Amino acid sequence: MSMRWADVPGALQNKGSFPVGHPGNVATALDNSQNISDICPDIALLGGRPAFTEMLAVGRPNVPNRRAFLARVERMMEGRQFTNNGPMVREFEAEVARDMAADHCIATCNATVGLELIVHALGLKGEVIVPSFTFVATVHALYRQNIRPVFCDVDPETHCLDPEAVEALITSSTTGILGVSLWGTYSGEAALRDIADRHGLKFILDSAHSYGCAHEDGTMTRHCHAEVLSFHATKCIQAMEGGAILTDDDEVAERLRFLVNFGFAGEDKVLHLGTNGKMNEAEAAMGLTSLEAKERIFTRNRLNLEAYAAGLKEVPGIRLVGLPRPGTHNCQYVVAEVDAGVMGLTRDELVGALRAENVFARRYFHPGVHRMEPYSGLFPDAGERLPVTERLARNVMVLPNGLEVSRGMVMRLTDRIAAIARRAGEVREALKGSGDPRVPEFAR
Ligand code: T4K
């Protein structure tokens, strides 16, 4: 596919973002009618111009309507209520509960603290079964409360907990299952809830990725005791920092209301071992503004995901994972598995070659939590029963998406991946000891 030079953002200005002598600094004034492949026939590592003049990253925040955000901040300044369950936090909670069809939503300062709070509120102790193929926060939320994480393998297609493997790990010390609806894919949760019910366990979902997603049967929170969302700046709906616990259990919700505010049940009466887990008004202002843009965000994500799927269809050795059903997914994460045997490049080498193109693909969730401290020291052999996790941690990469990524940029990126794959042997050689400061150590 041919690209026009005009499609390259900032193509006519040299941003000076490359080292002196780097090909990215060449040819600053080009004719818009020129075809990019005429100008830079090569990929960046082989001496061509990088596909992007500015860094294209996974996790660039979706910036919603700036004026609407500032107007809310202005109201906050006027009203002098900055935190402690203010009006915007309450409005945010009501919106989220309605969107996600949950009876209760308790906003928190982030998802990590949200997970810690719900683990405490549900009285989990002893052992909890959890995937290792997740962000480290999922597991920290357990171990910080002296709960032993029992790492369980995941399904190769969905990347979520494998129910059969979960059941095999239950012991007399197990008190719960902490699943992760990774990439916004709700999958297998009905089976997990069934297992939890049969064994008298609690079932929590870390749904940090899942705002706007639906479960297999179209409902939202009905399959677990509680789930936790993230509104971190890198999430599709963001509040700069933020999280929320969703539950349909009235008693648990009431307990959480105390726990999120130090355990206070009145001006100077403390009933529980709580913490400061509150979301503040500025975060809620961003969250509400972000929610107003949700349809635009989900649509952009979906169109980009379709463009990725079309652009990568014919590229050997790369496969997009879990393409969603329309209307049930926020489409934020563009997740690809790289088959080194077919492509001739490992995932790490491909990520390295893309860095030279100014594309910051991420190796989520490398190397797997069981290989991070303190877990690798505590459970050195955990990898032996996690073959799928180990493979995914080696092969999966996430590509950029969101409001800042246009369809044209996706096409340019997939063209470049195809070009890299076509010249895999040369790329591999060029990576060895590459002097390009953007190429990370792990790719050399
Ligand atoms: N459970 C799961 C399954 C999760 O994935 C996460 C978080 C959690 C629980 C915990 O949620 P929170 O407690 O955070 O609410 C990022 C995020 O920090 C993290 O929230 C997220 N998952 C994880 C998957 O990704 P990093 O360290 O990989 O992202 P970072 O900070 O390198 O940002 C990525 C890129 O985004 C940067 O290269 C630049 C850009 N960026 C980022 C921020 C924050 C910006 O341009 N502006 C910004 O403000 O962890």
Side-chain angles (χ1 to χ4, degrees):
M1 177 168 312
S2 66
M3 294 300 304
R4 315 302 302 178
W5 183 245
D7 292 329
V8 183
L12 296 181
Q13 323 103 37
N14 183 350
K15 302 275 180 200
S17 54
F18 308 118
V20 176
H22 189 278
N25 283 336
V26 180
T28 53
L30 294 161
D31 178 350
N32 275 359
S33 65
Q34 281 177 280
N35 193 311
I36 191 166
S37 55
D38 300 338
I39 302 157
C40 48
D42 253 335
I43 55 184
L45 264 179
L46 302 179
R49 174 182 279 273
F52 297 90
T53 53
E54 290 175 32
M55 190 171 83
L56 181 63
V58 173
R60 285 285 288 167
N62 290 321
V63 179
N65 185 327
R66 198 174 295 213
R67 273 201 196 153
F69 169 64
L70 292 175
R72 287 191 166 99
V73 171
E74 199 56 50
R75 280 208 299 283
M76 175 189 85
M77 300 302 278
E78 293 297 322
R80 293 288 194 282
Q81 173 128 27
F82 295 165
T83 185
N84 289 10
N85 205 24
M88 284 193 281
V89 165
R90 292 199 302 275
E91 188 185 343
F92 182 70
E93 290 179 335
E95 291 265 334
V96 171
R98 194 175 52 239
D99 253 8
M100 297 298 284
D103 288 353
H104 304 278
C105 168
I106 294 94
T108 56
C109 52
N110 55 51
T112 306
V113 169
L115 285 166
E116 288 184 9
L117 285 169
I118 188 63
V119 163
H120 180 72
L122 290 174
L124 297 187
K125 53 187 184 339
E127 294 178 0
V128 169
I129 297 168
V130 65
S132 169
F133 193 63
T134 181
F135 193 61
V136 69
T138 317
V139 185
H140 280 349
L142 298 171
Y143 197 62
R144 282 173 61 80
Q145 304 188 75
N146 292 323
I147 295 167
R148 179 188 164 98
V150 176
F151 292 115
C152 181
D153 217 357
V154 292
D155 180 282
E157 281 307 309
T158 65
H159 299 180
C160 300
L161 275 180
D162 171 357
E164 254 182 53
V166 167
E167 192 146 24
L169 290 172
I170 295 172
T171 69
S172 56
S173 304
T174 311
T175 58
I177 302 167
L178 173 48
V180 183
S181 55
L182 215 52
W183 322 132
T185 322
Y186 284 110
S187 178
E189 64 281 353
L192 291 171
R193 176 68 194 249
D194 177 57
I195 292 170
D197 286 349
R198 279 192 284 109
H199 292 270
L201 308 175
K202 301 292 185 199
F203 174 37
I204 306 172
L205 266 177
D206 173 345
S207 297
H209 298 181
S210 306
Y211 199 90
C213 300
H215 285 271
E216 283 161 340
D217 65 1
T219 65
M220 305 284 182
T221 49
R222 303 291 180 250
H223 292 296
C224 53
H225 291 99
E227 65 183 315
V228 179
L229 302 166
S230 172
F231 298 102
H232 183 259
T234 54
K235 297 291 179 288
C236 59
I237 303 297
Q238 58 92 12
M240 300 186 283
E241 288 277 3
I245 309 167
L246 305 177
T247 182
D248 292 343
D249 185 321
D250 299 346
E251 263 178 52
V252 170
E254 195 184 343
R255 211 171 310 144
L256 285 166
R257 289 274 169 216
F258 297 126
L259 290 176
V260 76
N261 186 28
F262 311 97
F264 274 114
E267 198 175 306
D268 46 20
K269 191 162 85 180
V270 171
L271 292 184
H272 298 276
L273 176 61
T275 188
N276 183 353
K278 291 165 283 155
M279 177 182 273
N280 68 45
E281 286 290 279
E283 290 164 343
M286 180 61 93
L288 285 167
T289 315
S290 188
L291 279 176
E292 284 167 355
K294 69 178 179 225
E295 293 310 331
R296 190 159 58 92
I297 294 167
F298 296 163
T299 303
R300 166 64 28 228
N301 284 349
R302 183 174 51 75
L303 292 174
N304 285 345
L305 191 53
E306 285 168 9
Y308 271 112
L312 294 175
K313 203 167 58 183
E314 307 295 340
V315 181
I318 188 163
R319 181 179 81 91
L320 283 190
V321 178
L323 289 177
R325 290 157 291 147
T328 62
H329 208 283
N330 60 44
C331 299
Q332 179 188 1
Y333 286 96
V334 180
V335 184
E337 276 183 46
V338 178
D339 184 337
V342 177
M343 183 179 275
L345 289 171
T346 63
R347 181 273 317 269
D348 289 357
E349 288 167 336
L350 179 57
V351 169
L354 288 173
R355 294 278 168 96
E357 304 288 351
N358 266 330
V359 176
F360 217 83
R362 292 301 297 261
R363 302 187 299 164
Y364 293 140
F365 283 103
H366 175 90
V369 179
H370 67 287
R371 289 186 178 275
M372 296 175 170
E373 290 300 345
Y375 313 106
S376 56
L378 289 166
F379 315 111
D381 303 326
E384 284 170 20
R385 55 159 207 277
L386 303 171
V388 181
T389 301
E390 295 258 299
R391 183 173 62 73
L392 297 178
R394 265 195 319 272
N395 295 347
V396 169
M397 70 173 185
V398 175
L399 293 161
N401 204 357
L403 286 183
E404 304 227 332
V405 182
S406 70
R407 197 180 159 81
M409 288 156 89
V410 173
M411 286 158 67
R412 182 158 4 111
L413 173 49
T414 55
D415 277 358
R416 204 47 74 100
I417 292 174
I420 290 168
R422 271 197 303 274
R423 302 183 66 181
E426 292 163 81
V427 168
R428 190 165 224 176
E429 278 310 307
L431 279 167
K432 284 185 192 150
S434 163
D436 186 326
R438 289 167 302 195
V439 173
E441 201 68 40
F442 62 72
R444 294 177 180 176

